[in-house]
Amino acid sequence: MKKDIDVFKKELAETVDFLKGRLNRKADIGIILGSGLGELAGELENRVTIPYAEIPNFPASTAPGHEGQLVIGDLGGKTLFCMQGRFHYYEGYDMETIVYPIYVMKSMGIDNLIVTNAAGCVNADWNVGDLMLIKDHIKLLPDSPVRGPNCEDFGMRFFDMSDVYTKELRDIAKKTAAEQGLEIREGVYYLYPGPNFETPAEIRMIRTLGGDAVGMSTVPEAIAAAYLSMRLLGITCLTNMASGILDEKLTTEEVIETGMKVKDTFIRLLKGVISSWEIGSDD
Ligand code: HPA
């Protein structure tokens, strides 16, 4: 936390008070919808939609395929707090700003989070359009969303990262996928800062380091979720083979197009997972 802690807490309280004033119920699960996956929000019942621009102290989203609004509504017997559009490092935000919504969720009593994203497929044995459960991540950027003075009201100075992508939730997702006849991958997500896509040499390096997918999001939010003791499920849509694997150029159009093609399968999986998700009575 680079900002003064008292200033941060005051801003957070303003955001949370505003949102509580607009909502008539507590949400069970937070969900961040990645590029091209925002349509899940359209499936929610009893929806309340709040553009980010109306929310005090909330950043604005500029990425393509991201709506930039909160949608709160019901799905699979749970109330979801859905971010249609997230904040990325490549947009120029610092990591503290990127994870602000995670603090907002936690302060609103949400202890469960789903992050989704689009990523390049580094694992040459897998295919475009495959879905991957994030098992772990690699971040070589020196920056961290929780760098700076620590406030123990939120989390510990040093905190465990051995089960960031909660195993129990990955097991639910695997079981749900099997029931739906869906082959799902499980692998390591490598954070690349962007906004340029990687070079073929960088992709070979990422593969050597153990990355299966490469993308420009999710890791700051995952670190914040671990810091704030939230349970986390991460699902990646592999929208394209990573740079240099095929003899073709990477485009945003391909990323969005694959997201659209996979969207129905993705939504079915998410619905199934959310229905099976046990929200603890102390959550
Ligand atoms: N690289 C980084 N981010 C991405 C990619 C990629 O190939 N595809 C979708 N997001």
Side-chain angles (χ1 to χ4, degrees):
M1 193 176 299
K2 285 167 223 112
K3 214 175 247 175
D4 178 85
I5 288 170
D6 291 333
V7 173
F8 180 81
K9 281 185 168 173
K10 184 174 156 286
E11 289 182 359
L12 188 59
E14 281 168 6
T15 308
V16 169
D17 285 350
F18 170 86
L19 291 173
K20 283 189 174 161
R22 292 285 293 268
L23 300 172
N24 54 7
R25 59 205 192 281
K26 177 178 168 298
D28 303 302
I29 302 175
I31 174 162
I32 304 176
L33 299 171
S35 315
L37 304 169
E39 289 203 14
L40 176 83
E43 303 274 317
L44 305 187
E45 286 169 17
N46 310 315
R47 278 202 296 277
V48 178
T49 300
I50 310 173
Y52 295 162
E54 289 179 16
I55 307 173
N57 310 320
F58 225 72
S61 165
T62 69
H66 288 248
E67 299 282 349
Q69 57 189 17
L70 287 184
V71 184
I72 295 92
D74 303 329
L75 186 82
K78 313 281 185 320
T79 298
L80 303 189
F81 183 101
C82 200
M83 284 182 69
Q84 220 177 11
R86 61 147 64 83
F87 309 109
H88 303 82
Y89 196 68
Y90 64 74
E91 292 174 88
Y93 296 114
D94 57 29
M95 288 210 184
E96 181 187 41
T97 305
I98 293 170
V99 302
Y100 186 69
I102 314 300
Y103 282 80
V104 171
M105 290 180 199
K106 180 72 184 187
S107 304
M108 295 186 69
I110 300 171
D111 290 313
N112 298 277
L113 179 63
I114 301 175
V115 287
T116 68
N117 60 45
C121 183
V122 177
N123 188 325
D125 296 334
W126 297 350
N127 303 304
V128 169
D130 285 355
L131 296 178
M132 182 191 93
L133 297 174
I134 306 179
K135 186 177 183 181
D136 204 346
H137 72 230
I138 299 173
K139 173 180 82 67
L140 292 188
L141 298 183
D143 205 351
S144 160
V146 286
R147 182 169 171 265
N150 189 51
C151 174
E152 289 209 353
D153 292 352
F154 294 114
M156 302 301 287
R157 166 81 301 181
F158 303 108
F159 54 99
D160 183 64
M161 290 288 286
S162 60
D163 190 32
V164 175
Y165 303 90
T166 314
K167 180 170 184 311
E168 186 194 337
L169 300 177
R170 278 185 280 129
D171 287 344
I172 293 176
K174 280 185 227 174
K175 188 163 169 279
T176 307
E179 282 163 9
Q180 295 181 353
L182 171 70
E183 189 181 9
I184 194 150
R185 312 294 187 180
E186 189 173 32
V188 174
Y189 178 94
Y190 184 101
L191 172 67
Y192 188 80
N196 55 290
F197 290 119
E198 304 72 29
T199 65
E202 286 169 333
I203 293 301
R204 288 193 295 276
M205 174 197 77
I206 291 167
R207 184 69 213 135
T208 304
L209 293 181
D212 294 294
V214 60
M216 305 177 193
S217 68
T218 300
V219 169
E221 294 101 313
I223 294 172
Y227 174 68
L228 296 168
S229 302
M230 295 166 81
R231 302 202 304 159
L232 176 67
L233 180 67
I235 311 179
T236 293
C237 175
L238 300 166
T239 51
N240 53 280
M241 294 314 283
S243 174
I245 294 182
L246 303 176
D247 186 19
E248 61 182 35
K249 293 192 189 247
L250 267 52
T251 63
T252 306
E253 286 70 32
E254 185 186 4
V255 171
I256 294 190
E257 211 172 281
T258 308
M260 292 301 285
K261 278 191 199 141
V262 177
K263 161 188 106 207
D264 291 343
T265 310
F266 205 105
I267 289 175
R268 195 175 336 118
L269 175 69
L270 280 174
K271 275 187 186 170
V273 170
I274 288 164
S275 306
S276 313
W277 191 312
E278 299 280 341
I279 306 292
S281 53
D282 58 339
D283 282 346

